[in-house]
Amino acid sequence: MILIKDITNYMERLAPLSLQESYDNAGLIVGDPSEEVKGILCTLDCTEVVVEEAIQSGCNLIIAHHPIVFKGLKKLNGKNYVERVVIKAIKNDIAIYASHTNLDHVEGGVNFKIAEKLGLQNVRILQPKKNLLKKLVTFVPVEHGQKVLDALYEAGAGQIGDYKNCSFRVEGTGTFRPTGGANPFIGTVDQDEEVKEFRIEVILQAHQEYMILSALKKAHPYEEVAYYLSNLENDLAQVGAGAIGSLDEVLEETSFLQYLKDAMALSTIRHTPLSGKKIQKVAVCGGAGGFLLNDAIRQGADVFVTADYKYHEFFDAENKIIICDIGHYESEVYTKELIISYLSEKFSNFAILKSQVNTNPVQYF
């Protein structure tokens, strides 16, 4: 029996909630995490029509990209679509879960899906986040060093870019005196003791702290485990905003615009003036990505594909880059495919469906 919390926990292995922006409201918004899952409906937005689609499809869990609730609800009387969606979901025992900016910020997330649709190669995060890494230092008897390291690796420590099981260790002498009610693994109460120990250092992502410390304490032989954590200011290359990569072949500007239109199934593209330059390096950001323009320029992107650009913001390109505004919905709609693909690798006990509802509130005449 698969529970809602099993699904949400798995989603958060890909996109931990700790990676969402402070204004965001990702996570389980409506529903009991201990309920059994009967079916999942994946959507970009959760609207009343989508809830009805879930009811008709026999799905009791909706996974959306955009959270239906951003601000606190003081009343639930159906005066707007947000309240009506929540009421309808509760009445029909349907849970609503959102994976939003946390899914934007990870490798394999929303922006990497856009890059995949465009066939980009050597894709990486455009603006890596800082202050998400910590360093763990601990001290272990030499003969137990590898066992503890293996436990730390298994819990997720020691990952640096494409390298796993990264650590540093140096041998030294540890000293201690067990006192009072201590039950020492090594040594005798009220007597000084010296032990050959490894000082072990590993890097971890901040959201992994609890899991990794639990693994450390479980694997470590000592009654009292000596360790300390320190925050790092290093960029975390695997987490951040936007993505950048390269096309297999160089394209003329108009050829690229047609390629972009076809690849993303677009009806229109708003873009800055063309200047006759060749296109190969492409930066992308699903949704409103204007804040990443300077990063795209600094990293040599020829084009920046995003959405929600205002009139005066197009001038910021200054002929250094072509801005392509493809629309918010259009830039993120393939997130549905991303979520379905990810969940299908793990769960096959029930239907995981893609919503057929076009929730785009922007229409073109």
Side-chain angles (χ1 to χ4, degrees):
M1 184 171 67
I2 305 298
L3 307 181
I4 288 174
K5 64 183 178 183
D6 297 322
I7 304 297
T8 60
N9 287 342
Y10 188 67
M11 283 295 299
E12 287 158 25
R13 286 175 57 182
L14 171 64
L17 294 181
S18 61
L19 299 183
Q20 68 180 306
E21 295 291 346
S22 58
Y23 62 79
D24 205 359
N25 191 36
L28 187 63
I29 296 171
V30 175
D32 181 352
S34 63
E35 284 291 318
E36 181 182 0
V37 176
K38 299 174 183 176
I40 300 174
L41 182 66
C42 300
T43 182
L44 187 64
D45 307 284
C46 191
T47 64
E48 293 169 87
V49 179
V50 171
V51 176
E52 183 61 34
E53 183 183 21
I55 295 169
Q56 297 303 320
S57 303
C59 297
N60 67 334
L61 173 60
I62 296 172
I63 297 182
H65 182 46
H66 297 137
I68 182 61
V69 178
F70 261 111
K71 301 176 181 178
L73 297 177
K74 295 184 177 180
K75 296 178 182 179
L76 279 174
N77 53 31
K79 71 177 184 297
N80 58 45
Y81 85 96
V82 173
E83 294 181 8
R84 291 193 296 272
V85 166
V86 172
I87 291 170
K88 189 176 182 72
I90 292 173
K91 280 184 175 180
N92 290 277
D93 294 322
I94 293 175
I96 301 174
Y97 180 87
S99 189
H100 191 211
T101 52
N102 50 322
L103 190 57
D104 291 331
H105 287 156
V106 295
E107 288 185 334
V110 175
N111 297 307
F112 279 67
K113 184 63 179 180
I114 299 171
E116 176 190 313
K117 298 294 291 185
L118 296 180
L120 301 184
Q121 305 298 313
N122 303 314
V123 182
R124 64 183 188 276
I125 296 289
L126 180 59
Q127 186 191 76
K129 281 189 171 290
K130 295 180 179 292
N131 302 314
L132 291 178
L133 290 172
K134 294 190 174 186
K135 182 174 75 171
L136 169 66
V137 177
T138 189
F139 306 88
V140 188
V142 169
E143 60 272 21
H144 292 269
Q146 194 58 52
K147 176 185 176 183
V148 170
L149 270 174
D150 289 342
L152 294 174
Y153 296 152
E154 181 66 24
Q159 178 87 33
I160 302 177
D162 293 328
Y163 293 83
K164 296 181 64 175
N165 299 359
C166 302
S167 69
F168 176 79
R169 64 185 180 189
V170 62
E171 187 174 330
T173 301
T175 65
F176 54 87
R177 177 189 292 182
T179 62
N183 182 25
F185 176 75
I186 297 174
T188 305
V189 172
D190 292 330
Q191 292 187 18
D192 289 331
E193 185 67 45
E194 292 188 356
V195 181
K196 293 297 182 184
E197 294 180 334
F198 281 135
R199 172 193 168 106
I200 292 175
E201 301 182 14
V202 290
I203 289 176
L204 60 138
Q205 294 185 30
H207 73 268
Q208 300 172 313
E209 179 180 330
Y210 176 80
M211 186 183 308
I212 288 171
L213 289 182
S214 296
L216 169 65
K217 293 173 183 177
K218 184 176 180 180
H220 203 292
Y222 285 175
E223 183 180 26
E224 296 288 348
V225 180
Y227 71 90
Y228 57 85
L229 285 167
S230 54
N231 296 321
L232 303 179
E233 294 187 4
N234 305 49
D235 288 343
L236 178 52
Q238 293 75 42
V239 175
I244 187 169
S246 297
L247 297 166
D248 275 337
E249 58 179 312
V250 177
L251 296 177
E252 302 287 343
E253 290 169 326
T254 53
S255 297
F256 172 79
L257 290 175
Q258 186 61 56
Y259 175 75
L260 174 62
K261 189 173 183 179
D262 294 341
M264 301 296 288
L266 306 172
S267 61
T268 186
I269 301 171
R270 299 165 66 222
H271 63 85
T272 50
L274 306 182
S275 58
K277 66 183 297 186
K278 305 293 186 180
I279 305 298
Q280 185 165 34
K281 186 174 284 190
V282 181
V284 302
C285 181
F291 67 100
L292 292 172
L293 178 63
N294 289 333
D295 293 274
I297 293 172
R298 277 196 298 269
Q299 296 188 42
D302 303 306
V303 173
F304 182 32
V305 179
T306 186
D308 296 351
Y309 252 81
K310 297 179 181 179
Y311 174 84
H312 291 285
E313 293 173 341
F314 280 94
F315 287 106
D316 295 336
E318 295 188 341
N319 296 319
K320 298 176 182 177
I321 194 169
I322 298 171
I323 297 171
C324 293
D325 184 332
I326 65 174
H328 197 119
Y329 177 89
E330 291 83 356
S331 71
E332 296 184 332
V333 65
Y334 298 104
T335 303
K336 293 189 283 187
E337 295 179 3
L338 161 65
I339 295 171
I340 291 171
S341 176
Y342 177 70
L343 291 177
S344 297
E345 293 177 357
K346 177 74 172 179
F347 303 101
S348 58
N349 314 55
F350 41 76
I352 304 175
L353 306 178
K354 180 170 71 172
S355 173
Q356 300 304 306
V357 177
N358 183 335
T359 59
N360 192 354
V362 181
Q363 302 296 306
Y364 302 93
F365 182 72

